[in-house]
Amino acid sequence: MTGRAEILSTPSEAAPARPAAAWRRDPLLVGILVVIAAVCLGLVGLQPAPYLVNAIGQLAAFAILAVSLDLVWGYLGILSLGHGLFFAIGGYVCAMHLLAHAFAVTGVAPDFVQFMGWTALPAYWAGLTHAPYALALALGLAAAVAFVFGLASFRSRVNGVYFSIISQALVYVAMLLMFRNDTGLGGNNGMTGFPLLFGYPMGSAAVTTGLALAALGTLAAVLVGTRALVAGPIGRRMLACRDDETRLRTLGYGTTRLKLAIWCLSAMIAALAGVLYVPQVGIINPRVLSPDLSIEIAVWMAIGGIGRLGGAVIGAVAINALKFWLSAALPEAWPFILSGLVLVVVLALPNGLLDLATLRTRPTWLRGGAPR
Amino acid sequence: MSALVVENLTVTFGRFRALDALSLAVDPGEIRAVIGPNGAGKTTLLDVISGITKPVSGRVLIGDGIDLTTRSEAEIAKAGIRRKFQKPSVFPALTIRENLEIGCGTGLSATERPARIAEILAETGLAPREHAQAGALAHGEKQWLEIGMVLASNPRIILLDEPVAGLSDSETERTAALIRSLRRLDRAILVIEHDMAFVEAIADRVTVLHEGRTLFEGSLHGARADSRVIEVFLGR
Ligand SMILES: Nc1ncnc2c1ncn2[C@@H]1O[C@H](COP(=O)(O)OP(=O)(O)OP(=O)(O)O)[C@@H](O)[C@H]1O
Ligand SMILES: [Mg+2]
């Protein structure tokens, strides 16, 4: 074969992306990680007003949620319009832990327990006072629900719009279920009034800052981890599956397992976002399961840019920061502003806000690194 | 024993019969061309062999008696069957090299892959462009890249759907030479093509398909002399 000479000369070029360093070759991601580090330092050093610290922590939780959707939508082409379900699973389990913990420490039963006329927590709350168990339950439950739903859908080759619609139906059904008062999960009112976190009073400066740092740290870890995944051989298979699933199957790859694994991973990341979100916002109720929230996650991404991880972060942070600010200033205008933004972005910047960078200065790193 | 046997295959789309009790056998070492007018069912035949379309009745057997109609696309590919699509199907977001890496399939270990990829890059002449994004390639390069992806795993049955469509004359000649060089005693090649000069250059035998049935089977020379074949091709 004439190829022998090339065999000897190419391996260094050919070496596949080494996952450990994958994030370094994505300047957008490096930039975001630097910003995250700077914000963390700022939180510790400057001690900004608690409401600002809290807002930053919530934004980080939303960014994690957006990254989880980008993993399946941007890299596998699976648009979930039900990711609020996994976020809610994380949120609910976290709320259960906080209430169980407070009950154990203070002896005061949570509101909904008193409301239902019960004296103790339902039996299935057992063990939730332990944080590691609660975390494992949140992630495990999200993965289990995702697995069952994913297996049923992917095996029967439910794809595209059909999958999106069914995922939306799923979150809606979950919302109806959670509105019932007899589930032992707070019903309509949800769960709120979390007095303690690991024994420390909720709302104290230290806890607020700690939560924000935890959310930012988790976001950074999720970004580095998902980037390593998508830059490696599995990521290449994900892109191949996104662009032509039949082609990939006819090359000898069963795609169901790949899709199922990434789908479950995405659900767990979304649950992690929910775990971090609930103690910061101080409440969880069935409204996180409303279809609008799940659609909104897709909107953040469409605005930030799909299939770049960093785009999801930018979209989630930009839209939610705007929402925090405007829903105080002009609450009625928010839906109109959001719709307007979507229209502008879809018409003028098909790849989301990331297009802005390429429009003006056209730095090569943003052009060369097309959606990967 | 035949390398690939198609037995009484019937495929319907609604009430329309795309394949009508079609039978066909390809020998090991043979290059078979399937020709026929548009809509004759040529692509549908490959869709059934590669597991994308399930037939209403009939079987597709390979050497060891495995019936492909009961297998999934991935299982069929793992049995050593690769197919090039009519519309060039490469992964646009990946580079040439990454496409070939996926083309190696699950049968080649990670340590064997670089050498195999280097061979394919050399054979297809794509070596200088190995880091180019497949989505940005010219049509001819895409055709060759897809052929390279098909060859990377060393398949024992190769199915090519119009491999020279849209190629220039010189590219067509190079493709013909490449396909001839793929002939091996333990390999069967099925090529669908409209370009008769190309068919003449590569095929041992031709099967003429018309309305889902075999109209003629034998040499291309014989096909050209067959009155029914002439009627179908000229009567359009
Ligand atoms: N999924 C489908 N649904 C309905 N009809 C189909 C489908 N796939 C193919 N057909 C029909 O089956 C017939 C055979 O199609 P096929 O693609 O196999 O033809 P072909 O011989 O490959 O033609 P060409 O030379 O144009 O590629 C055509 O009439 C086509 O319209
Ligand atoms: Mg065809």
Side-chain angles (χ1 to χ4, degrees), chain B residues 102-236:
Chain B
I102 288 189
C104 286
T106 50
L108 277 183
S109 74
T111 50
E112 294 168 316
R113 285 184 183 196
R116 183 65 189 143
I117 293 170
E119 279 176 16
I120 297 288
L121 283 171
E123 270 178 48
T124 54
L126 290 169
R129 309 262 285 137
E130 64 172 318
H131 296 297
Q133 197 116 349
L137 298 179
H139 176 77
E141 289 173 311
K142 274 188 194 161
Q143 290 275 42
W144 273 63
L145 173 56
E146 197 186 358
I147 292 175
M149 288 164 72
V150 163
L151 300 184
S153 65
N154 255 318
R156 59 176 170 144
I157 295 178
I158 299 177
L159 312 167
L160 302 169
D161 200 345
E162 305 199 12
V164 297
L167 296 191
S168 68
D169 287 351
S170 67
E171 286 171 326
T172 300
E173 266 167 47
R174 274 172 55 208
T175 310
L178 174 67
I179 292 175
R180 273 197 306 265
S181 77
L182 295 175
R183 188 199 300 274
R184 263 184 7 200
L185 269 180
D186 57 350
R187 174 181 280 161
I189 304 177
L190 197 73
V191 185
I192 292 173
E193 198 37 80
H194 287 288
D195 180 334
M196 286 307 139
F198 175 77
V199 169
E200 186 157 27
I202 60 161
D204 300 312
R205 283 193 288 174
V206 300
T207 295
V208 183
L209 225 58
H210 178 52
E211 293 177 350
R213 267 169 290 186
T214 310
L215 200 62
F216 176 89
E217 195 167 291
S219 68
L220 181 62
H221 187 72
R224 283 183 161 145
D226 188 277
S227 59
R228 286 168 309 163
V229 174
I230 295 170
E231 191 184 321
V232 163
F233 274 91
L234 299 181
R236 296 191 276 151

Side-chain angles (χ1 to χ4, degrees), chain A residues 13-14 157 247 251-253, chain B residues 73 83 89 97 102 131 146:
Chain A
E13 273 279 297
R157 306 206 177 170
R247 210 329 161 213
L251 289 166
Y253 300 88
Chain B
E73 297 103 312
R83 179 234 181 121
S89 297
R97 184 176 194 93
I102 288 189
H131 296 297
E146 197 186 358

Side-chain angles (χ1 to χ4, degrees), chain A residues 1-4 6-7 10-11 13-16 157 233 235-237 239-255 368 370-372, chain B residues 50 52 73-74 77-78 81-85 89 91-95 97-98 101-106 113 115 118-119 122-123 127 130-131 133 146 149-150:
Chain A
M1 262 296 84
T2 48
R4 288 298 154 202
E6 279 95 334
I7 298 167
T10 41
E13 273 279 297
R157 306 206 177 170
R236 292 196 281 280
R237 233 172 285 162
L239 292 177
C241 185
R242 174 193 73 183
D243 291 337
D244 198 339
E245 187 175 354
T246 304
R247 210 329 161 213
L248 190 59
R249 288 180 196 263
T250 53
L251 289 166
Y253 300 88
T255 52
R372 289 297 307 265
Chain B
S50 48
I52 296 169
E73 297 103 312
K78 282 184 183 144
I81 300 175
R82 285 293 187 283
R83 179 234 181 121
K84 187 207 157 310
F85 286 81
S89 297
F91 301 115
L94 304 181
T95 64
R97 184 176 194 93
E98 290 165 344
E101 205 169 332
I102 288 189
C104 286
T106 50
R113 285 184 183 196
E119 279 176 16
E123 270 178 48
E130 64 172 318
H131 296 297
Q133 197 116 349
E146 197 186 358
M149 288 164 72
V150 163

